[in-house]
Amino acid sequence: MQTTHLVLITTYLLVMVGIGLYYSRSSKVRTGEDFLFAGRSLSTPVMIATLIVTWVGSGTIIGGANFAYNYGPMAGMIFFAGTPLGILVLLFAARRIRRAARHTVPELLEARFGSGVRTVAAVVTTIAYVGLVASQFVGGGYVLSLITPLTTTQGALIVAAVVTILTVTGGLFSVAYTDFVSAILVFGALIVAVPLILVAVGGLPVYWEGLPEAARTPSGGLSPLQLLGYFLPLFLLLLADQNLYQRLAAAKDERAARNSTLGMLIASFFVFVPVIMLATSAAVLMPGINGDESVLRLATDGHLPTLIGGLLLAGAVAFVVTTGSSFMLSGASNIAFDLFARFSGGKVGERGTLVVQRLSVVAIALVAVALGLYFPTVLDLQMYSYTIYGAAITPAVLAVLFWKRATTAGAVAALITGTGVTIGWEIAGAPGGFNGVIVALPAAVLALVVASLLTKAPDRRTLEAAGVD
């Protein structure tokens, strides 16, 4: 156990908790709106930081690294390509999203498709986001188990406690500003680590020759359908990620929302390219290890200088904390705004909604801890959660933004079909080795189109009510 590593991570966690407590003051967070949108006052630099580190969590530094470790750099680029491609789509839709700002994605769907769709979408979103929170807890447990005598489960419990405290105190105020601090740490650690690891490997020619033969191919030994099964979930989640939509809604205006999205696009390359290089270098230096630990073991096994390794591990924890708190906050908004406030008849008031959000954060944390014990790896957990959201919610959201002919029946059909097929595919054991998105997405899109064409088209008033006409 490296004392330097432990000190750096402990210091980082204490700073994060301190920021959360600072923004828990009643003068900052008075209502559910403040808790969720930070008073719609976030500057562009803070927006860029919170967008990128919200998106790149343990699914990048652990799950994505696992994929790159096992299948090579070119396949890794295909896996992560969903991020910049999805951001490009968001770039064109950013102003529409800001203009149609709602508390949640299900609320956006309600404006177009009605209250029944909102309820179904809220349940689906919460299920998916609990899974994503669980993946962050498990990822954090990996980090702590590598540098302390703690087991992965014990480490996950500590991370869960820190993330919950951070989220339940200041809401988006604390999440956004801890994201800003974390972004500086993450970018610095990744950019410095890559050249040092390439030197440790022996240079680029040695790195390339040291990779397994299959890992030097574009597919990494996977079939085209298998590779597509890894690309699509990330891409689809980003297209309609409620987290990102809420961040864009928290921007000061439409221009800030668009500029922040452009900044996120540029920043994304400074995250996933270094992660791919580090993970595949680990495949050369440490063949046969658990791919989930590939980037982390570069630090703990002495392949990096102690200080840089400590910063890299702290950066990994930063990924976990920032993304976990974001998905936790977003899932709590579904429970508070889409379910509780709606079915309570609006009698709870702003302060009551704030209390429900905070209680929901705690509930999500408890369920996420239990779910994290079920899935064997972060990559498995993230693929499952991404697919539920991407196959069920994304087709309906894109229909709101881009297809005026979509109807309520089509949206309901897509939500139920996407969720049902994903869960059924997982229970069946992923036949053929394909991720569920390969069957769930076409099934959901087909259900959306067929049901919409078989029912009456929405009138212009309905389209205007959604705010995207």
Side-chain angles (χ1 to χ4, degrees):
M1 179 173 65
Q2 287 280 358
T3 303
T4 302
H5 294 170
L6 191 58
V7 168
L8 285 170
I9 291 178
T10 302
T11 301
Y12 167 77
L13 292 175
L14 290 175
V15 169
M16 295 300 99
V17 171
I19 293 174
L21 293 175
Y22 174 80
Y23 282 105
S24 68
R25 298 172 301 164
S26 60
S27 61
K28 288 289 184 182
V29 184
R30 297 173 179 170
T31 67
E33 286 274 332
D34 291 336
F35 191 77
L36 185 59
F37 292 127
R40 302 188 195 272
S41 61
L42 300 182
S43 64
T44 299
V46 174
M47 279 287 298
I48 294 172
T50 192
L51 283 169
I52 191 64
V53 299
T54 288
W55 179 246
V56 288
S58 68
T60 299
I61 199 73
I62 295 175
N66 184 341
F67 184 88
Y69 178 88
N70 286 297
Y71 300 111
M74 289 185 282
M77 291 295 290
I78 294 173
F79 176 88
F80 282 112
T83 294
L85 291 176
I87 295 172
L88 281 174
V89 176
L90 278 186
L91 189 60
F92 290 108
R95 289 181 175 175
R96 286 190 177 196
I97 294 169
R98 178 62 180 81
R99 191 182 313 139
R102 301 292 197 279
H103 295 100
T104 65
V105 162
E107 189 178 352
L108 174 66
L109 294 176
E110 179 188 37
R112 172 71 180 274
F113 299 124
S115 58
V117 171
R118 179 179 182 178
T119 301
V120 175
V123 173
V124 172
T125 301
T126 303
I127 292 172
Y129 280 11
V130 167
L132 290 170
V133 171
S135 72
Q136 308 311 310
F137 292 170
V138 174
Y142 274 127
V143 180
L144 294 186
S145 68
L146 287 173
I147 63 169
T148 71
L150 296 173
T151 66
T152 300
T153 300
Q154 291 169 336
L157 292 174
I158 291 175
V159 171
V162 172
V163 173
T164 303
I165 291 171
L166 175 63
T167 310
V168 83
T169 50
L172 186 57
F173 272 114
S174 61
V175 169
Y177 286 98
T178 53
D179 284 354
F180 184 73
V181 174
S182 298
I184 297 172
L185 175 62
V186 166
F187 287 129
L190 289 175
I191 292 170
V192 171
V194 170
L196 292 175
I197 284 298
L198 287 177
V199 170
V201 171
L204 281 173
V206 177
Y207 156 80
W208 185 253
E209 290 301 322
L211 291 170
E213 184 177 351
R216 296 199 296 267
T217 66
S219 69
L222 295 170
S223 71
L225 271 182
Q226 286 175 319
L227 196 56
L228 185 65
Y230 282 104
F231 163 81
L232 281 176
L234 197 67
F235 175 67
L236 293 171
L237 174 64
L238 195 147
L239 290 183
D241 183 14
Q242 179 173 269
N243 258 314
L244 301 183
Y245 278 42
Q246 288 172 337
R247 295 301 188 279
L248 293 174
K252 291 189 291 187
D253 51 39
E254 293 176 18
R255 181 178 179 181
R258 185 176 175 83
N259 289 342
S260 300
T261 308
L262 180 60
M264 180 189 180
L265 173 63
I266 297 170
S268 68
F269 288 94
F270 290 95
V271 175
F272 71 78
V273 172
V275 166
I276 290 171
M277 291 303 300
L278 292 173
T280 50
S281 295
V284 177
L285 292 169
M286 300 174 289
I289 66 170
N290 180 351
D292 274 351
E293 302 173 356
S294 55
V295 173
L296 309 177
R297 291 277 294 271
L298 292 173
T300 61
D301 287 18
H303 296 289
L304 286 168
T306 301
L307 179 60
I308 302 303
L311 291 174
L312 183 62
L313 290 171
V317 174
F319 272 135
V320 168
V321 169
T322 55
T323 303
S325 59
S326 295
F327 279 111
M328 190 179 282
L329 175 64
S330 195
S333 71
N334 292 119
I335 297 173
F337 289 103
D338 296 319
L339 300 174
F340 186 85
R342 191 164 156 259
F343 290 109
S344 67
K347 298 177 182 179
V348 294
E350 285 290 346
R351 295 294 297 179
T353 302
L354 176 59
V355 171
V356 172
Q357 283 177 284
R358 285 176 161 153
L359 291 175
S360 299
V361 165
V362 176
I364 288 172
L366 294 174
V367 177
V369 167
L371 187 62
L373 299 176
Y374 174 77
F375 284 86
T377 71
V378 172
L379 185 59
D380 290 336
L381 187 51
Q382 80 182 77
M383 287 296 104
Y384 172 72
S385 301
Y386 286 177
T387 299
I388 281 188
Y389 194 91
I393 300 292
T394 299
V397 171
L398 294 182
V400 170
L401 296 174
F402 301 113
W403 192 36
K404 297 180 179 180
R405 183 62 181 79
T407 67
T408 298
V412 171
L415 289 167
I416 294 175
T417 302
T419 304
V421 172
T422 299
I423 295 175
W425 194 259
E426 182 69 28
I427 292 173
F434 299 119
N435 285 326
V437 69
I438 294 297
V439 291
L441 177 63
V445 172
L446 182 63
L448 171 68
V449 173
V450 171
S452 293
L453 295 179
L454 291 177
T455 50
K456 183 180 178 181
D459 56 32
R460 186 168 185 81
R461 184 178 303 174
T462 301
L463 297 175
E464 290 175 349
V468 293
D469 185 32

